Amino acid sequence: ADSSLGLCGCEPFGPLWEVFESDVSAGASLIRKIADPGSRDVDPDGRRVSVPAGEALVAEARTANVSEDAKDIWLGIPRVSMRLAKGQAPGLGEWALFRGSRVTPEGSFMLEGGGPGAEGVGTVAGKMGRPITRTQGFRSTVDRGALGQMQMAYQMERLTNRHSSEESAPGGRRPW
């Protein structure tokens, strides 16, 4: 699945979520609570009321006709702060993408591998660095142009290999 993302691409789905609670310490890689962008309810601090991240992401995937399996959902963490992005969602190259692993019983969204902490794009709140404050859901897409270019590259390689093997064979054809 990692190669499908690299070869075919991805596109965002759903809103840019505000992250309230996450754990990116070694071995954890959890996004626990995110803000429901559709809710008008606010807490005493004036922030939107949080919801379990896994449940909200799966529900948004269902709405966007994306598989509800956590392994089919990629979570993007901005590589730059929202202040640098001037309040707009960063472009696709400015995201660190992590494949989902599962939704935990309490509703958190668990990421595969080392997660954001391993790549330095998120830290545990209170430690040096910046905590994860925003996230975006992504899905794999088919990039027909990239697939065509890959097919042409493989065809060229096969022709080159065939030509090389003909030259090295005894009595092989020579271009002169």
Side-chain angles (χ1 to χ4, degrees):
D2 294 335
S3 60
S4 70
L5 182 66
L7 294 174
C8 300
C10 63
E11 65 182 12
F13 71 88
L16 179 64
W17 300 87
E18 183 179 359
V19 176
F20 282 6
E21 186 180 341
S22 64
D23 182 358
V24 293
S25 58
S29 299
L30 289 170
I31 306 297
R32 290 194 172 117
K33 299 278 187 178
I34 57 179
D36 178 1
S39 174
R40 299 282 182 226
D41 298 333
V42 293
D43 65 15
D45 294 329
R47 292 181 7 166
R48 288 191 301 267
V49 176
S50 67
V51 294
E55 294 172 9
L57 288 163
V58 167
E60 191 64 40
R62 184 181 315 116
T63 301
N65 293 322
V66 176
S67 169
E68 297 175 33
D69 184 358
K71 290 184 179 275
D72 293 330
I73 299 172
W74 295 80
L75 208 58
I77 308 295
R79 291 186 185 276
V80 297
S81 71
M82 293 307 289
R83 180 176 292 148
L84 292 175
K86 301 195 182 349
Q88 298 178 2
L92 201 56
E94 297 173 4
W95 291 101
L97 295 175
F98 304 95
R99 185 177 184 198
S101 172
R102 64 186 176 95
V103 176
T104 64
E106 69 272 1
S108 296
F109 193 79
M110 182 174 269
L111 305 173
E112 275 190 357
E119 291 202 21
V121 294
T123 59
V124 177
K127 293 192 176 184
M128 302 249 334
R130 63 181 176 85
I132 297 170
T133 59
R134 300 277 189 262
T135 192
Q136 172 74 54
F138 285 86
R139 65 175 150 206
S140 298
T141 59
V142 176
D143 182 347
R144 305 265 182 231
L147 292 175
Q149 289 175 344
M150 186 171 64
Q151 182 181 8
M152 286 177 51
Y154 283 132
Q155 286 175 341
M156 289 296 291
E157 185 177 340
R158 281 192 294 267
L159 289 172
T160 303
N161 287 340
R162 186 180 326 147
H163 181 68
S164 296
S165 64
E166 287 175 357
E167 283 184 352
S168 63
R173 298 185 321 191
R174 308 238 188 259
W176 59 89

